Amino acid sequence: MVCASFAAAATSFATPGDSPVTWAVTPSNVEGPDGRSWVELELDPGASVDEHLAVRNLSDRDVTFALTAADGYFTPTGRFNMLPGDKQSVAAGIWISMDKTVTVAAGGTAVVPFTVTVPDNATPGDHAAGIAASIYSQGGSDGTQLGVESRVGFRVMTRVKGEVRPALSMKATASYVTSWNPLESGSADLTVDLENTGNVRLSVYPSTMVNDARWPAAGTEEARTLELLPGDRRTVSIHVPHVWPMGIMTIPLTVSQGVIAPDGATQSLDPVQESVTLWAIPWPQLAVLVALLLLLAGLFRGRTRRKKELVRLVEEAREAGRREAGNPLISGRYPGSGKSVRTQ
């Protein structure tokens, strides 16, 4: 089993029975590290350029590092990585040629040249690769056979000259999360699928405006946008709190975008906009409304029953009065005499 990792900064790696190895790999000139974090190139098809990398051995012993290059990509969390050693590169990773190993003295730095050669038939646009220095250990301290490769490197971005075609595809869905407290609002969750369908790198920033507040994608910040290579797909989530259920709702979604140039500058493009529809049924409020209606209906039926009972009692009293007035034995009078008699 091989476990590989890729770091863009100095890292430490402990091999069984040896002291830890700490090293760093950065772009450089012929004299040493030149302050760049990665290499950005712009070349014609068929052109080549010579570059350099510096391997700094920060440990207390001499170390021989393996040097590799491979196709590059961004992970779902937005970190740059390169294909592991057991995966075959088919793109920009095979454009890079250099020595396969370098031995660096303890505390020393070695500058290694490498060459990037663009094929004659390379398509215009951005192509990503990674370059790394690695060490490999076989076997663990407990006797297990576990191959571990640890890599430290940086990205090599090559823009092949030609027609630049930026394009971004977006699909979004939304769902409503109900708060069962009728006096509290719920929330909306948006899932946004983004795909760079063009041929150049894009910086994108998904967000929505709800209740006069801007809500970005989870994990993004104002100063940090997502970066998509050509062909990259990324799914992001936007959580919008304080959304009152209003039945059928429409949430506006905006993805700001720009083309990342080889010099690192970003050229803004028109944003991609879409309206996302969702059902936000006010179940708690409807339950309260139904309860109130049932209460009012009960009160109304009770009032109606009492009114009917009162009418019935009045009618019975009237009927009793009429019977009493029409019966001489009950009234105590003989018809036509005008005299009353006392009965015993």
Side-chain angles (χ1 to χ4, degrees):
M1 177 180 180
V2 177
C3 298
S5 62
F6 180 85
T11 192
S12 295
F13 182 77
T15 56
D18 293 322
S19 59
V21 177
T22 304
W23 74 106
V25 181
T26 58
S28 75
N29 53 34
V30 294
E31 299 176 352
D34 55 11
R36 290 179 294 172
S37 298
W38 57 77
V39 173
E40 296 271 5
L41 303 171
E42 188 172 12
L43 300 172
D44 290 311
S48 65
V49 65
D50 293 328
E51 280 283 352
H52 297 81
L53 64 91
V55 182
R56 291 179 291 166
N57 181 6
L58 307 176
S59 51
D60 59 1
R61 58 190 172 96
D62 297 353
V63 180
T64 297
F65 298 95
L67 301 177
T68 56
D71 294 345
Y73 64 95
F74 284 104
T75 66
T77 60
R79 295 179 61 87
F80 185 83
N81 205 347
M82 55 185 278
L83 293 179
D86 58 349
K87 299 292 184 181
Q88 182 67 42
S89 294
V90 295
I94 61 178
W95 299 357
I96 299 173
S97 59
M98 60 185 170
D99 293 338
K100 294 185 179 300
T101 62
V102 61
T103 300
V104 187
T109 299
V111 174
V112 181
F114 66 92
T115 301
V116 179
T117 302
V118 179
D120 293 333
N121 60 349
T123 58
D126 289 330
H127 302 263
I131 195 168
S134 60
I135 57 177
Y136 181 84
S137 174
Q138 179 69 44
S141 58
D142 59 354
T144 58
Q145 294 297 310
L146 177 66
V148 180
E149 180 187 27
S150 184
R151 306 179 298 182
V152 181
F154 55 85
R155 70 175 88 170
V156 178
M157 303 297 304
T158 303
R159 167 77 58 88
V160 178
K161 294 181 180 179
E163 181 185 3
V164 173
R165 295 182 291 100
L168 179 66
S169 172
M170 176 179 67
K171 294 181 180 179
T173 58
S175 61
Y176 187 75
V177 181
T178 302
S179 171
W180 292 103
N181 184 344
L183 300 181
E184 292 183 356
S185 60
S187 60
D189 288 325
L190 280 68
T191 300
V192 186
D193 295 321
L194 301 169
E195 181 180 2
N196 184 348
T197 56
N199 65 351
V200 289
R201 277 183 299 161
L202 296 177
S203 64
V204 298
Y205 184 82
S207 64
T208 185
M209 287 288 297
V210 178
N211 299 330
D212 298 325
R214 190 182 191 190
W215 304 98
T220 62
E221 302 171 359
E222 284 294 332
R224 176 179 167 269
T225 58
L226 303 175
E227 186 173 346
L228 298 180
L229 293 168
D232 272 357
R233 296 182 178 181
R234 191 80 54 83
T235 299
V236 297
S237 300
I238 300 178
H239 179 72
V240 184
H242 314 307
V243 178
W244 287 97
M246 304 294 291
I248 298 181
M249 300 181 61
T250 300
I251 297 180
L253 177 64
T254 300
V255 179
S256 303
Q257 60 171 336
V259 175
I260 303 175
D263 61 1
T266 300
Q267 178 186 357
S268 296
L269 301 173
D270 292 335
V272 179
Q273 296 178 325
E274 183 175 319
S275 294
V276 186
T277 302
L278 74 159
W279 277 94
I281 301 176
W283 294 115
Q285 291 80 7
L286 288 176
V288 171
L289 179 60
V290 170
L292 289 175
L293 291 176
L294 292 175
L295 178 61
L296 291 175
L299 293 175
F300 179 77
R301 285 196 299 269
R303 182 178 178 183
T304 302
R305 284 196 300 268
R306 289 192 297 271
K307 185 176 180 181
K308 288 182 177 179
E309 182 66 16
L310 179 60
V311 171
R312 185 183 66 79
L313 293 175
V314 170
E315 288 296 327
E316 288 180 353
R318 289 177 177 174
E319 181 63 25
R322 286 193 293 267
R323 289 198 302 270
E324 181 180 352
N327 190 335
L329 295 178
I330 298 177
S331 65
R333 293 178 180 273
Y334 286 101
S337 66
K339 296 181 180 180
S340 62
V341 296
R342 181 174 297 178
T343 60
Q344 294 187 4

